[in-house]
Amino acid sequence: MDGALYKTAEPVVFMKPESALLKNGKPFFLPEHLGRVDHEVEVVVRICRLGKNVSERFAHRYYDAVTVGIDFTARDLQRRLKDNGHPWEISKAFDGSAALGEWVELEPKDDESVPAWQWPDDGFHFHLDINGNTVQTGFTGDMLYKVDELISYISRFFTLKTGDMLYTGTPAGVGPVHIGDHLEGYLENRKLLDFYVR
């Protein structure tokens, strides 16, 4: 589970380079030299404006689309690095480790002269199926840190830029992937992510 069931004092933040992105249904080539690689389904939001030190109450104005993604994690490598007190970026940021689904635009909540894009009040359900079986389910209302909290926190350290993507954390049920697996990610009943492990 590795962090999925308990809340840390502050959000755990790491970054992935552009080479980590896996889009358009392209296959994920399992890097066998990394040992066990786990799936972590997450809701992803797209940043739509420049921001620094964003107040939580205004954070909803900084994202305009949502999807589901997979944060692949080289679990054996991550544990070794953590045990030795080393940074564990390479266990999270290797090539293809950030699978990304199709974007869904968020609609303005109210008719306002300046549109304020809002996270829906009732939140989203999302889930991941592997080979036709549901392996992870989540609801944004249950997130340890809400999207607006994450944006406010992260923007204290990093300037948000248009086009940045924020993976928001995974629910319980993470586990290993294998060659031949078929992964399908859903936001509510809409399939946004569909690819194979090769």
Side-chain angles (χ1 to χ4, degrees), residues 1-6 38 40 73 75 78-79 82 88 92 170 174:
M1 309 305 174
D2 205 40
L5 298 179
Y6 54 87
D38 285 354
E40 299 184 17
T73 303
R75 192 69 68 202
Q78 183 189 44
R79 288 191 180 112
K82 281 184 172 183
W88 38 273
K92 287 280 198 178
T170 192
V174 302

Side-chain angles (χ1 to χ4, degrees), residues 36-186:
R36 172 175 164 164
V37 175
D38 285 354
H39 59 79
E40 299 184 17
V41 69
E42 306 190 14
V43 168
V44 185
V45 296
R46 183 179 68 198
I47 301 300
C48 62
R49 56 168 37 170
L50 192 71
K52 180 70 176 170
N53 293 317
V54 176
S55 166
E56 189 176 327
R57 65 180 238 187
F58 297 122
H60 65 274
R61 298 179 179 176
Y62 286 81
Y63 54 100
D64 64 355
V66 62
T67 189
V68 289
I70 306 290
D71 166 23
F72 283 114
T73 303
R75 192 69 68 202
D76 295 335
L77 176 59
Q78 183 189 44
R79 288 191 180 112
R80 286 200 307 272
L81 293 167
K82 281 184 172 183
D83 289 347
N84 290 315
H86 296 156
W88 38 273
E89 221 80 6
I90 59 174
S91 70
K92 287 280 198 178
F94 55 90
D95 288 354
S97 62
L100 188 68
E102 172 191 346
W103 290 111
V104 175
E105 303 288 332
L106 293 173
E107 297 294 333
K109 187 174 181 182
D110 302 303
D111 290 326
E112 298 175 318
S113 57
V114 178
W117 300 91
Q118 300 280 346
W119 192 260
D121 290 336
D122 53 353
F124 291 116
H125 290 90
F126 61 101
H127 69 274
L128 173 67
D129 289 358
I130 298 183
N131 304 326
N133 299 309
T134 299
V135 295
Q136 284 188 272
T137 60
F139 175 59
T140 56
D142 296 332
M143 291 171 61
L144 299 179
Y145 292 98
K146 307 301 185 215
V147 171
D148 292 356
E149 290 179 88
L150 291 171
I151 286 176
S152 179
Y153 179 81
I154 291 167
S155 71
R156 290 164 47 195
F157 306 97
F158 307 105
T159 299
L160 302 175
K161 292 192 173 181
T162 301
D164 285 349
M165 290 162 274
L166 174 61
Y167 285 63
T168 59
T170 192
V174 302
V177 293
H178 306 91
I179 291 174
D181 282 347
H182 182 200
L183 279 66
E184 298 170 288
Y186 293 80

